[in-house]
């Protein structure tokens, strides 16, 4: 699904050049659950943004679903995102002026889905994440855990092949955080590919592979096998 080869991302100002990603080589197969870990400022969120085509690499090659991303127009990138990728952010990024139902429905409006199909899928996903009873409420009327469940519903309502989650439990207590992780694990078991940035090892334990980053580079990968447990692989 994802192939990154010698990928770099450099930010430049008039006086400073900062390398956020430094020679990233990473492949992610369809159906994997990947956790990306590392200290603050190591490039985790930048990596996620490049995967989601919210940011463009400075150099290197990025292929998504067997298509080279570089060279695509902003409209083409937006079309790929709408058709294939769901995003879950730590800060929820809900629209306060819209109801829960309207927030969840947004990706389907962008896809121009028929009204009856939108209603059916919105009802289905709200029920699944446990916020159907809050459908007519607005985000400020909800708890943090409820808002994050709305964000998860919005991310999955269009049935994307890939979900990118940036610290999805960072603003939640442990109980609500575990609920969100369990939802993501269930989606992964149904075939959705998930890449999640996290600082918490217990959260990373939900993933089948952990990618450890430092200073814009991948240091090692830990692959979890049901038969053999965790196997570490260092990246030179």
């Amino acid at each position: 699904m994802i192939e990154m080869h010698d990928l770099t991302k450099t930010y430049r100002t008039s006086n400073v050049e900062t390398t956020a990603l430094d020679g990233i080589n990473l492949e992610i197969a369809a159906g994997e659950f990947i956790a990306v870990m590392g200290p603050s400022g190591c490039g985790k969120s930048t990596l996620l943004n490049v995967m989601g085509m919210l940011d463009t690499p400075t150099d290197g090659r990025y292929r998504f679903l067997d298509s080279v991303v570089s060279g695509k127009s902003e409209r083409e990138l937006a079309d790929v995102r709408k058709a294939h990728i769901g995003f879950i952010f730590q800060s929820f990024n809900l629209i306060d002026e819209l109801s829960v139902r309207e927030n969840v429905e947004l990706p389907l409006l962008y896809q121009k889905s028929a009204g009856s199909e939108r209603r059916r899928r919105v009802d289905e996903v709200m029920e699944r994440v446990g916020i159907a009873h809050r459908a007519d409420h607005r985000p400020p009327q909800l708890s943090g855990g409820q808002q994050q469940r709305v964000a998860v519903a919005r991310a999955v309502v269009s049935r994307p092949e890939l979900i990118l989650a940036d610290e999805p439990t960072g603003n939640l207590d442990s109980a609500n955080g575990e609920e969100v992780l369990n939802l993501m694990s269930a989606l992964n078991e149904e075939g959705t590919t998930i890449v999640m940035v996290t600082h918490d090892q217990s959260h990373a334990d939900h993933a089948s592979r952990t990618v450890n980053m430092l200073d814009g580079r991948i240091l090692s990968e830990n692959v979890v096998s049901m038969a053999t447990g965790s196997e570490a692989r260092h990246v030179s």
Side-chain angles (χ1 to χ4, degrees):
M1 173 176 277
I2 287 174
E3 299 176 28
M4 292 181 165
H5 297 286
D6 296 326
L7 191 140
T8 65
K9 177 62 183 180
T10 303
Y11 296 100
R12 295 182 177 90
T13 66
S14 56
N15 299 317
V16 179
E17 179 176 293
T18 302
T19 299
L21 299 177
D22 185 8
I24 296 293
N25 290 287
L26 180 64
E27 295 187 7
I28 298 174
E32 284 197 270
F33 189 160
I34 306 295
V36 182
M37 298 192 71
S40 296
C42 73
K44 303 186 301 298
S45 294
T46 302
L47 180 64
L48 213 66
N49 287 339
V50 170
M51 284 185 188
M53 298 166 228
L54 299 173
D55 204 349
T56 56
T58 305
D59 202 358
R61 187 178 67 179
Y62 176 31
R63 293 177 64 88
F64 178 71
L65 294 176
D66 294 325
S67 176
V68 176
V69 171
S70 61
K72 290 185 183 293
S73 68
E74 284 300 320
R75 175 170 288 186
E76 289 173 322
L77 294 176
D79 287 342
V80 172
R81 287 194 296 268
K82 287 187 289 187
H84 302 289
I85 303 175
F87 296 89
I88 305 173
F89 302 98
Q90 178 178 354
S91 56
F92 314 140
N93 285 10
L94 302 176
I95 299 175
D96 288 348
E97 293 76 21
L98 299 181
S99 68
V100 165
R101 174 181 293 280
E102 290 166 336
N103 269 280
V104 174
E105 186 182 27
L106 277 175
L108 300 179
L109 289 172
Y110 296 146
Q111 291 183 350
K112 300 181 180 178
S113 301
S116 59
E117 175 69 3
R118 291 200 310 270
R119 288 189 292 274
R120 184 185 68 79
R121 286 168 67 171
V122 169
D123 287 342
E124 180 181 276
V125 75
M126 286 194 304
E127 187 67 35
R128 178 171 188 181
V129 303
I131 45 90
H133 63 298
R134 299 289 190 181
D136 296 325
H137 288 69
R138 299 189 189 280
Q141 298 173 298
L142 306 179
S143 68
Q146 290 170 334
Q147 289 187 58
Q148 191 61 295
R149 277 180 271 178
V150 176
V152 172
R154 181 186 57 191
V156 305
V157 71
S158 59
R159 299 172 183 166
E161 290 102 318
L162 172 67
I163 291 178
L164 300 176
D166 194 357
E167 295 283 0
T169 62
N171 286 326
L172 304 179
D173 60 34
S174 57
N176 282 309
E178 192 65 24
E179 284 186 18
V180 169
L181 289 165
N182 288 336
L183 279 169
M184 293 172 62
S185 294
L187 291 165
N188 177 246
E189 289 172 3
E190 295 168 6
T192 304
T193 306
I194 297 176
V195 181
M196 175 182 68
V197 164
T198 182
H199 284 95
D200 192 317
Q201 182 60 55
S202 66
H203 295 171
D205 289 342
H206 286 257
S208 55
R209 176 157 56 117
T210 300
V211 174
N212 299 292
M213 294 187 67
L214 182 67
D215 296 335
R217 299 180 179 182
I218 295 177
L219 293 184
S220 65
E221 299 179 31
N222 298 317
V223 181
V224 177
S225 166
M226 294 298 291
T228 61
S230 179
E231 177 184 338
R233 184 176 69 209
H234 290 278
V235 179
S236 59

